[in-house]
Amino acid sequence: MAGVPRLPGCALCEADGGDVVWRDDALRVILPDEPDYPGFVRVVWNAHAAEMTDLSSRERERLMAAVWTAERVVRERLNPDKVNVASLGNLVAHVHWHVIPRWRDDRHFPAPIWGAPAQGRDDSTARRRDAVRSRVPGLREALARALQEAESAA
Amino acid sequence: MAGVPRLPGCALCEADGGDVVWRDDALRVILPDEPDYPGFVRVVWNAHAAEMTDLSSRERERLMAAVWTAERVVRERLNPDKVNVASLGNLVAHVHWHVIPRWRDDRHFPAPIWGAPAQGRDDSTARRRDAVRSRVPGLREALARALQEAESAA
């Protein structure tokens, strides 16, 4: 990431933040390690910026295009009950988007995933999450392809 | 909202969801009643749609333009420590965006606002939130103006 503005001590300036599925000069798309949420995708702006409105409108459009590609591929591949999309950054104030497939029987539903789990991990739910997890390699491949196609078309 | 596709029983098809600051044929911007979070803004798509990728890319751009206008005006008027932006919809699966000004001493910081509060409501924090609340009428006016200007320019 030569030439990309970085902030010393920022976790997303100093490391990728997960398994990098795809990257270009502006952003990267990663699969973080979130055991309860297989298929969780993050889209991270490479340069350090704290808020979306610190980016130019063209930069925001480029970032959001990747977020919508991620949402579309997550829906096509995993067919979740809902998708949650969020840019928070209270802990790491470096623009990144969470794209989170949600299921009615996941550990927090219908609450957002960041609170205390409402449900324990019972066997049948764990099996259903394992079934999702088995589709993550296909998701990974489809994501990389879709992001590359979107870039080539732009 | 004549002609807008509605889903019977959907809370955001059947009611505005808060104090409407501005609306056009596509979307509305509201100030919800969130006592711990003065300056909280919601941007609601008028027609019923569950996910962002159910909208066309032109519709998404229009919606996100209003979200970024809201974020910009919230920052200009309230100068929060961070802004959180999210589209969740687990309870009301009708596309709506939360634009949430956050402060290091707010009740959930650095966690997202949807979990159990980490902090009680002490007097000095309550006074600082009251100071923010006193600026909400100015925020409301600036938001309406900025949204109207953005629409006129488009």
Side-chain angles (χ1 to χ4, degrees):
Chain A
M1 295 192 282
V4 166
R6 296 171 78 154
L7 180 71
C10 169
L12 287 173
C13 284
E14 298 195 336
D16 288 333
D19 169 26
V20 179
V21 172
W22 190 81
R23 89 161 84 220
D24 65 12
D25 58 319
L27 60 90
R28 58 192 186 266
V29 175
I30 64 176
L31 297 181
D33 183 26
E34 297 280 357
D36 286 331
Y37 291 96
F40 194 136
V41 179
R42 283 203 184 100
V43 184
V44 182
W45 193 246
N46 288 333
H48 189 83
E51 304 285 6
M52 283 298 288
T53 47
D54 291 334
L55 304 182
S56 70
S57 72
R58 188 183 288 258
E59 289 171 327
R60 277 197 298 272
E61 274 167 33
R62 188 165 171 182
L63 177 49
M64 296 317 292
V67 171
W68 308 135
T69 297
E71 179 180 292
R72 177 173 60 76
V73 175
V74 163
R75 292 180 72 190
E76 285 168 4
R77 288 282 156 164
L78 306 181
N79 193 30
D81 294 320
K82 188 69 192 72
V83 183
N84 293 172
V85 180
S87 168
L88 306 175
N90 304 327
L91 286 166
V92 179
H94 175 132
V95 170
H96 61 283
W97 282 85
H98 307 279
V99 178
I100 313 164
R102 301 295 310 272
W103 280 269
R104 284 189 195 92
D105 66 354
D106 72 36
R107 296 196 73 201
H108 297 83
F109 204 88
I113 68 160
W114 299 284
Q119 277 101 237
R121 227 188 248 99
D122 72 55
D123 281 0
S124 74
T125 302
R127 269 197 302 276
R128 287 197 290 278
R129 283 310 82 76
D130 285 344
V132 173
R133 195 166 290 111
S134 71
R135 284 182 280 157
V136 169
L139 168 71
R140 193 185 192 292
E141 214 175 297
L143 261 178
R145 201 166 46 233
L147 291 157
Q148 190 55 48
E149 279 167 11
E151 176 147 298
S152 306
Chain B
M1 296 193 281
V4 167
R6 297 169 79 154
L7 181 71
C10 168
L12 287 174
C13 285
E14 298 195 336
D16 288 332
D19 168 26
V20 179
V21 172
W22 190 81
R23 87 161 86 221
D24 65 12
D25 59 318
L27 59 90
R28 59 193 184 264
V29 175
I30 65 176
L31 297 181
D33 182 26
E34 297 280 356
D36 286 330
Y37 291 96
F40 193 136
V41 179
R42 284 202 185 102
V43 183
V44 182
W45 193 245
N46 288 333
H48 189 82
E51 304 284 6
M52 284 298 288
T53 47
D54 291 334
L55 304 182
S56 70
S57 71
R58 186 184 289 257
E59 289 172 327
R60 278 197 297 272
E61 275 167 33
R62 188 164 172 183
L63 177 49
M64 297 316 291
V67 171
W68 308 134
T69 296
E71 179 179 292
R72 177 172 61 76
V73 175
V74 163
R75 293 179 73 190
E76 285 168 2
R77 290 281 157 166
L78 306 181
N79 193 29
D81 294 320
K82 187 73 192 69
V83 183
N84 293 171
V85 180
S87 167
L88 306 175
N90 304 328
L91 285 166
V92 180
H94 176 132
V95 170
H96 60 285
W97 283 83
H98 308 278
V99 178
I100 313 164
R102 301 295 310 272
W103 280 269
R104 283 188 195 92
D105 65 353
D106 73 36
R107 297 197 74 201
H108 297 83
F109 205 88
I113 68 160
W114 299 282
Q119 277 103 236
R121 228 189 248 98
D122 72 56
D123 281 359
S124 74
T125 302
R127 269 197 302 276
R128 287 197 290 280
R129 283 310 83 74
D130 285 344
V132 173
R133 195 166 292 111
S134 71
R135 284 182 279 155
V136 169
L139 168 70
R140 191 184 193 292
E141 215 177 293
L143 260 177
R145 202 166 46 236
L147 289 157
Q148 189 55 49
E149 280 168 11
E151 175 146 299
S152 306

